[in-house]
Amino acid sequence: QVQLVESGGGLVQPGGSLRLSCAASGSILSINAMGWYRQAPGKQRELVARITSSGSTNYAGSVKGRLIISRANAKNTVYLQMNSLKPEDTAVYYCNAQVIRVGVYYQSDYWGQGTQVTVSS
């Protein structure tokens, strides 16, 4: 089995910063892309940022220049540095990983439990 555990959410004022972390553990052979998604109340889940195993990144247009995704491959961990936060960034943030498990030579998607980010004064 594979588990993704997120941390770092919370309440922050507009213009503030937060750093989210997501650590994958379990019977992992390798991880391809990792990413962060978010879902605000009444809206569909959307991609925020994604990073490949080689470090290539892509971002939603609404977060470019403010949010930065990175990963530590040796730790199976992905990070999201969130700067200049706006009220519209308020959502539950979910971590995603494309994992190849030991003994199972195909890729599967795994999700974290979600962490709440609230941007409000």
Side-chain angles (χ1 to χ4, degrees):
Q1 265 291 21
V2 174
Q3 298 82 37
L4 271 61
V5 178
E6 299 142 340
S7 61
L11 172 64
V12 63
Q13 292 187 342
S17 298
L18 282 175
R19 189 189 194 215
L20 306 183
S21 300
C22 172
S25 63
S27 56
I28 298 170
L29 181 64
S30 64
I31 302 178
N32 292 329
M34 301 184 82
W36 289 95
Y37 292 71
R38 67 185 181 188
Q39 187 167 21
K43 295 188 176 181
Q44 289 190 331
R45 189 175 297 189
E46 62 174 359
L47 174 69
V48 176
R50 183 176 178 271
I51 184 168
T52 67
S53 57
S54 61
S56 297
T57 59
N58 62 286
Y59 295 90
S62 60
V63 306
K64 276 185 180 178
R66 300 187 299 117
L67 275 58
I68 301 171
I69 190 170
S70 61
R71 66 189 279 177
N73 290 333
K75 296 180 180 180
N76 290 334
T77 300
V78 63
Y79 307 95
L80 186 67
Q81 178 65 43
M82 310 172 72
N83 302 319
S84 303
L85 284 164
K86 304 176 180 180
E88 50 263 44
D89 294 317
T90 295
V92 178
Y93 284 70
Y94 297 91
C95 171
N96 169 267
Q98 297 176 339
V99 177
I100 299 177
R101 290 167 54 196
V102 174
V104 181
Y105 296 97
Y106 57 84
Q107 179 177 286
S108 297
D109 267 348
Y110 289 89
W111 293 89
Q113 78 284 359
T115 185
Q116 177 70 46
V117 172
T118 302
V119 184
S120 175
S121 55

